[in-house]
Amino acid sequence: MGIEERYPRVAAEVAKTAQAAGRSPQEVCLVAVSKTVGEDGVAAAFAAGARDFGENRPDQLVPKAAAFPEARWHFIGNIQSRRIHDIVGSASLIHSLYQARHAEKIDKAAAELGKVQDVLIEVNVSGEASKSGVAPDEALDLVRFCEALPQVRVRGLMTMAPQGSPEEARRAFEGLARLAADIRSQLPDDQAAAFTELSMGMSEDWPCAIECGATIVRIGRAIFSDSFQE
Ligand SMILES: *Cc1c(COP(=O)(O)O)cnc(C)c1O
């Protein structure tokens, strides 16, 4: 089976899982994480209906976004200051902001590019040392910091769950959903109205993430890898 078959299969499963969880399929955006494939792989997924793509390296994001301008490009990787201008130039949503100094640079780059940059705050819910993101109890401060930046709009939160344990993954997803609701309740109405996104769930754990309230799932291998087994 190739990307042409796998993408629509995954998209249908995502919609079915949303419905089974009592949610509308339109509430869950499937981001096809194309970091392991070239433009031919992106073209195959695009032809199969994919319109949201995720990349974790600016050197992949920039040329692919230029080659597929009708798609929406999501930056999901580690942010480096010197690449922020490139990222802002290509990404419709940055999922992985967790440092105030990067927020300031995104604001400046977005002003230069004449856009408002949508971002998510990455939260290290599980507290694993290997994971990036703000601690849960620091997330609200960073959201407030960003609200003072005119060209940055915080749309919600993102996390990566611990791998290998479905119970721990569920705990991380539930924790992110609770934290988002808590933050939202403390924001002024206009900011709360934009703070709606929960980016969580990857190839191995996305059904659980949808049950816990994900509005964006980031799926790579289940779409792009020949060898991925559920
Ligand atoms: C690679 C990656 C994904 C996709 O992971 P898969 O297990 O291949 O689905 C999702 N989110 C981030 C941040 C990634 O780096």
Side-chain angles (χ1 to χ4, degrees):
M1 192 162 52
I3 294 165
E4 296 84 349
E5 288 86 22
R6 281 194 301 265
Y7 177 79
R9 229 173 59 143
V10 171
E13 285 171 19
V14 164
K16 212 172 90 184
T17 304
Q19 226 146 17
R23 307 181 52 205
S24 157
Q26 286 96 305
E27 274 176 48
V28 183
C29 172
L30 166 55
V31 173
V33 177
S34 51
K35 65 191 183 191
T36 58
V37 297
E39 286 179 19
D40 51 341
V42 174
F46 191 90
R51 290 298 178 270
D52 287 88
F53 291 89
E55 288 288 338
N56 66 344
R57 289 174 189 279
D59 5 345
Q60 291 287 314
L61 171 73
V62 171
K64 285 174 177 165
F68 295 89
E70 303 92 349
R72 283 175 296 276
W73 288 87
H74 298 247
F75 186 72
I76 62 174
N78 188 40
I79 297 173
Q80 292 175 298
S81 291
R82 63 190 173 83
R83 303 311 303 270
I84 282 176
H85 202 272
D86 289 336
I87 295 167
V88 172
S90 298
S92 61
L93 180 62
I94 298 174
H95 292 226
S96 43
L97 174 66
Y98 64 94
Q99 289 182 287
R101 66 191 176 92
H102 288 157
E104 285 177 324
K105 293 196 167 100
I106 290 170
D107 183 60
K108 191 159 164 278
E112 284 162 13
L113 290 158
K115 72 184 281 197
V116 172
Q117 180 65 60
D118 281 344
V119 303
L120 305 177
I121 305 299
E122 181 172 357
V123 183
N124 185 352
V125 180
S126 63
E128 288 172 285
S130 61
K131 291 233 177 341
S132 44
V134 289
D137 61 359
E138 292 165 359
L140 179 59
D141 280 348
L142 184 54
V143 172
R144 291 217 162 108
F145 183 86
C146 290
E147 297 300 356
L149 303 171
Q151 308 301 124
V152 175
R153 184 166 58 168
V154 184
R155 303 300 315 280
L157 304 179
M158 178 274 222
T159 201
M160 310 244 303
Q163 306 240 275
S165 159
E167 294 75 30
E168 282 180 45
R170 180 174 291 273
R171 222 172 304 141
F173 297 148
E174 287 172 348
L176 193 75
R178 254 195 321 269
L179 179 64
D182 182 45
I183 290 174
R184 198 159 191 258
S185 73
Q186 299 184 61
L187 297 176
D189 285 350
D190 56 327
Q191 290 167 19
F195 192 88
T196 53
E197 304 296 334
L198 274 180
S199 170
M200 55 190 197
M202 314 187 352
S203 290
E204 274 163 20
D205 53 24
W206 65 262
C208 175
I210 290 177
E211 287 165 16
C212 294
T215 64
I216 303 174
V217 290
R218 310 177 307 267
I219 302 183
R221 286 169 299 150
I223 295 169
F224 291 105
S225 165
D226 292 327
S227 54
F228 180 76
Q229 302 289 334
E230 278 176 62

